[in-house]
C-alpha cells in the first residue's frame, strides 16, 4: 500500500439494488409459510413491500404503491391501510431488502416483520434517502387513526445466521397458522427481546455476529422532499456477509396496537454513504500553447479524494491544482467532477467522467474536463485528467496523477537538455529572435521565469 493511502476492498463501494426505484417493478407476491403464489400489487425489483395476501386472497391488502419520485418518475409510497374485510385491522406499510411476512388468526395473534436480506461485503458509514411524510388527521370517532405514530428506519449488517424455530407465518381464520423455521429474522439478528413474540427457540451459528446497526425514527411531517440521513453504529471490525434495511410508514417494532390508519411515507433515492477515500501521490502537468508540451508541474505532491455515491457513481476531487508559470505558482483551483462512473472488477476500480464549463483560476478560466483512471484495493491510483482551456483558445492542460513518484530525469540530464524559450502567451521563441523582456525558460523538466536584458 502506498504510504498514507487509505486502501479499500473492491466491495467497499457496494450500493443497493434499484435504489432510485427507476428500474423494473414486478408483481408483489406476499410470502407465506403456505407458499402463496398470488400477487398483490407491484414492488420495485430487488425490494419487498409488505402487501399481504390474506387467506387465499380474501382480505388481501395493498400498502405500497408506485408514485412520482424526487425529480424522477418513480418512488415508493408506503401507507398503513385497513384490511378491507376487517376495517379495524390496520396492515403496516414497510419496504425491505429482506422478505416481509405476517401472521394473524382473525385479527388476533398478530406478528410479522422481515427476515433475510441481500449479500453484502461493504462497510458503509451511513444511509441516506429522500422522503415525504404525512399522518392522518385526528378523529375521536375513529380509534384506528393515530397521528402521533413515529416512522421507523432500521438497517443492519451481519455475518453468520440466526434460526428461530416454529414461527407462525401465515394467516388463518381459526386454529394455528402454518409455521416455519425462520432464518435471520430481524429481531433475532438485532438481539432484541423476543418476549411475547411468536415462534420458538433461537439458535445461531458460531460465526454469527451483528456488525453494524441503525435503528432510528422520523417524527416530523414533510410535505416537500426532505433528506434523511443516519450513521451506522459499528459494533465489530468483521467483514459483513449480509445487509437488510427496513423503512416503515409507522412504528415498525411497536406491535399491531400502535399502527395508525393512513399514516404514510414516500421514499426515493435510498443510498449508502461512505467516507471519502484519499490517495496521496504525485502530479505531472503539461500545457500546449501551440509550441509543444511544456511542463508546468513535475512530481508535485497531491491527494485526490473519491466519494462513492449511488448506482456506480462517485464524486472526484483533485484539490487546489497549482501550476508553475515562469517560475511563479498559479493556483487554478479544485478539479471537481460529480457523478463519475465507476466499475470494479478483480479488485481494480475504473473511473470515467467529464464535465463542461468548469471554472478555474477564480473564474478566469473556463474548461472542459475529462477523467479516466484506475485504483486498486492496495491503494494504488493512476488518473489521467484532460483539461481543455476553452476560453483561452482550447489550450490543453494535461494532468496525470500516480500514487508512485515518477522520478523522471536527473538534474544533470536537465542541465544537458536543449533550452527552449516561450513568451508569456506561451508561444515558443527562437533563441536567435530573443529581445529584452520576460520569458519562460524550459530546460528538460525544469521550467522557470527569466528576464533577459
Amino acid at each position: 500500500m502506498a504510504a498514507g493511502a487509505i486502501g479499500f476492498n473492491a466491495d467497499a463501494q457496494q450500493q443497493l439494488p434499484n435504489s432510485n426505484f427507476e428500474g423494473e417493478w414486478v408483481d408483489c407476491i406476499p410470502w407465506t409459510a403456505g407458499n402463496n403464489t398470488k400477487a398483490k400489487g407491484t414492488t420495485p425489483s430487488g425490494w419487498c413491500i409488505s402487501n399481504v395476501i390474506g387467506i387465499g386472497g380474501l382480505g388481501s391488502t395493498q400498502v405500497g404503491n408506485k408514485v412520482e419520485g424526487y425529480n424522477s418518475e418513480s418512488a415508493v409510497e408506503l401507507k398503513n391501510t385497513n384490511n378491507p374485510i376487517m376495517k379495524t385491522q390496520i396492515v403496516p406499510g414497510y419496504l425491505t431488502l429482506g422478505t416481509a411476512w405476517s401472521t394473524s388468526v382473525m385479527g388476533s395473534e398478530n406478528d410479522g416483520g422481515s427476515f433475510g436480506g441481500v449479500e453484502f461485503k461493504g462497510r458503509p458509514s451511513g444511509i441516506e434517502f429522500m422522503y415525504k411524510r404525512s399522518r392522518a388527521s385526528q378523529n375521536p370517532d375513529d380509534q384506528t387513526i393515530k397521528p402521533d405514530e413515529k416512522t421507523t428506519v432500521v438497517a443492519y449488517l451481519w455475518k453468520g445466521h440466526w434460526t428461530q424455530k416454529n414461527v407462525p407465518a401465515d394467516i388463518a381464520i381459526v386454529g394455528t397458522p402454518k409455521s416455519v423455521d425462520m432464518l435471520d429474522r430481524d429481531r433475532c439478528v438485532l438481539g432484541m427481546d423476543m418476549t411475547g413474540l411468536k415462534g420458538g427457540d433461537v439458535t445461531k451459528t458460531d460465526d454469527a455476529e451483528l456488525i453494524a446497526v441503525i435503528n432510528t425514527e422520523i417524527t416530523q411531517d414533510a410535505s416537500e422532499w426532505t433528506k434523511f440521513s443516519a450513521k451506522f453504529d459499528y459494533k465489530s471490525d468483521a467483514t459483513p456477509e449480509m445487509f437488510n434495511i427496513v423503512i416503515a410508514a409507522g412504528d415498525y417494532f411497536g406491535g399491531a396496537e400502535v399502527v395508525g390508519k393512513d399514516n404514510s411515507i414516500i421514499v426515493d433515492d435510498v443510498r449508502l454513504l461512505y467516507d471519502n477515500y484519499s490517495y496521496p501521490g504525485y502530479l505531472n502537468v503539461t500545457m500546449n500553447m501551440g509550441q509543444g508540451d511544456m511542463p508546468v508541474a513535475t512530481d508535485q505532491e497531491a491527494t485526490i479524494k473519491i466519494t462513492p455515491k449511488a448506482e456506480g457513481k462517485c464524486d472526484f476531487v483533485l484539490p487546489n491544482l497549482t501550476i508553475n508559470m515562469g517560475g511563479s505558482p498559479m493556483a487554478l483551483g479544485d478539479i471537481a467532477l460529480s457523478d463519475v462512473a465507476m466499475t470494479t472488477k478483480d479488485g481494480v476500480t475504473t473511473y470515467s467522467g467529464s464535465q463542461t464549463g468548469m471554472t478555474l483560476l477564480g473564474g478566469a478560466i473556463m474548461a472542459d474536463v475529462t477523467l479516466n483512471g484506475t485504483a486498486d484495493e492496495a491503494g494504488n491510483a493512476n488518473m489521467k485528467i484532460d483539461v481543455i482551456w476553452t476560453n483561452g483558445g482550447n489550450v490543453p492542460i494535461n494532468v496525470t496523477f500516480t500514487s508512485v513518484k515518477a522520478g523522471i530525469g536527473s538534474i544533470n540530464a536537465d542541465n544537458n537538455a536543449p533550452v527552449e524559450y516561450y513568451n508569456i502567451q506561451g508561444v515558443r521563441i527562437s533563441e536567435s529572435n530573443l529581445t529584452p523582456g520576460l520569458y519562460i525558460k524550459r530546460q528538460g523538466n525544469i521550467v522557470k521565469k527569466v528576464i533577459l536584458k
Side-chain angles (χ1 to χ4, degrees):
M1 182 180 296
I6 301 176
F8 56 92
N9 185 283
D11 293 316
Q13 300 175 25
Q14 192 171 347
Q15 283 291 341
L16 306 179
N18 196 12
S19 64
N20 58 9
F21 311 124
E22 295 300 307
E24 183 182 17
W25 283 59
V26 298
D27 285 344
C28 180
I29 301 176
W31 178 88
T32 69
N35 298 317
N36 169 61
T37 59
K38 293 184 177 181
K40 184 63 178 179
T42 61
T43 187
S45 179
W47 296 80
C48 182
I49 292 175
S50 59
N51 296 335
V52 299
I53 201 61
I55 304 171
L58 182 65
S60 63
T61 310
Q62 184 168 331
V63 296
N65 296 281
K66 181 178 181 179
V67 296
E68 184 178 354
Y70 173 66
N71 296 325
S72 66
E73 294 183 359
S74 303
V76 178
E77 180 186 39
L78 304 165
K79 180 182 289 188
N80 298 344
T81 305
N82 55 290
N83 184 300
I85 303 300
M86 303 180 65
K87 299 292 187 178
T88 59
Q89 297 299 307
I90 311 303
V91 178
Y94 57 92
L95 179 72
T96 178
L97 287 173
T99 300
W101 67 280
S102 62
T103 187
S104 179
V105 181
M106 282 298 291
S108 63
E109 304 298 320
N110 299 314
D111 203 352
S114 173
F115 66 89
V118 295
E119 294 184 359
F120 195 90
K121 295 183 180 179
R123 290 176 63 91
S125 60
I127 61 173
E128 177 179 282
F129 58 82
M130 302 299 295
Y131 74 94
K132 294 181 180 181
R133 181 181 185 269
S134 66
R135 306 286 93 171
S137 298
Q138 185 71 60
N139 182 349
D141 295 326
D142 188 345
Q143 298 304 307
T144 67
I145 294 178
K146 300 170 184 178
D148 294 331
E149 184 188 15
K150 66 183 181 180
T151 289
T152 305
V153 181
V154 183
Y156 48 102
L157 299 139
W158 76 95
K159 70 184 194 69
H161 297 289
W162 286 256
T163 300
Q164 185 179 16
K165 303 288 287 186
N166 301 320
V167 180
D170 209 343
I171 297 175
I173 297 177
V174 294
T176 303
K178 186 174 181 179
S179 64
V180 296
D181 292 348
M182 188 170 287
L183 187 68
D184 294 334
R185 180 179 179 178
D186 45 19
R187 292 174 183 262
C188 298
V189 178
L190 292 167
M192 300 179 71
D193 185 2
M194 305 296 286
T195 302
L197 301 176
K198 306 304 175 185
D201 293 338
V202 178
T203 59
K204 63 180 182 179
T205 59
D206 291 341
D207 62 339
E209 185 176 9
L210 175 63
I211 294 172
V213 63
I214 292 171
N215 187 358
T216 189
E217 59 191 45
I218 301 172
T219 58
Q220 298 297 315
D221 287 349
S223 59
E224 302 295 330
W225 285 109
T226 303
K227 181 179 288 187
F228 167 89
S229 63
K231 292 287 188 179
F232 280 102
D233 175 16
Y234 272 88
K235 303 177 179 299
S236 167
D237 293 331
T239 299
E241 296 175 353
M242 299 291 293
F243 177 77
N244 192 22
I245 184 171
V246 179
I247 302 173
D251 186 351
Y252 181 70
F253 292 120
E257 63 275 9
V258 305
V259 180
K261 184 177 72 173
D262 293 339
N263 291 341
S264 71
I265 187 170
I266 301 175
V267 180
D268 201 3
D269 289 350
V270 183
R271 71 184 187 97
L272 300 178
L273 303 176
Y274 291 89
D275 293 330
N276 291 340
Y277 290 98
S278 299
Y279 296 91
Y282 304 90
L283 290 176
N284 288 281
V285 186
T286 63
M287 291 180 63
N288 190 329
M289 302 185 74
Q291 300 294 326
D293 289 339
M294 179 177 67
V296 290
T298 302
D299 279 345
Q300 182 185 103
E301 292 188 359
T303 298
I304 60 172
K305 296 181 179 180
I306 296 174
T307 305
K309 297 171 65 176
E311 301 296 334
K313 301 288 186 180
C314 69
D315 291 338
F316 172 94
V317 179
L318 166 60
N320 194 27
L321 175 62
T322 301
I323 62 176
N324 189 321
M325 294 297 294
S328 299
M330 179 183 294
L332 300 185
D334 294 352
I335 303 293
L337 291 89
S338 299
D339 294 329
V340 172
M342 61 181 190
T343 57
T344 300
K345 183 178 181 180
D346 298 330
V348 177
T349 301
T350 300
Y351 300 89
S352 177
S354 62
Q355 183 173 324
T356 59
M358 184 180 295
T359 58
L360 300 171
L361 197 62
I365 292 178
M366 297 293 293
D368 294 345
V369 181
T370 301
L371 166 72
N372 289 284
T374 61
D376 65 24
E377 56 190 355
N380 301 308
N382 293 281
M383 302 287 170
K384 186 174 185 294
I385 307 164
D386 295 323
V387 181
I388 303 298
W389 180 358
T390 55
N391 65 334
N394 292 326
V395 173
I397 304 173
N398 302 310
V399 183
T400 59
F401 171 89
T402 179
S403 53
V404 179
K405 193 170 184 177
I408 55 175
S410 65
I411 294 177
N412 290 334
D414 283 330
N415 287 338
N416 294 327
V419 177
E420 298 172 352
Y421 290 91
Y422 299 81
N423 63 20
I424 58 173
Q425 287 76 39
V427 178
R428 185 176 178 181
I429 306 298
S430 171
E431 192 168 356
S432 61
N433 292 327
L434 293 175
T435 59
L438 177 64
Y439 292 91
I440 298 169
K441 178 183 177 181
R442 182 177 76 173
Q443 187 172 21
N445 293 302
I446 297 177
V447 180
K448 61 183 179 179
K449 183 169 61 176
V450 297
I451 297 176
L452 300 180
K453 296 182 179 180

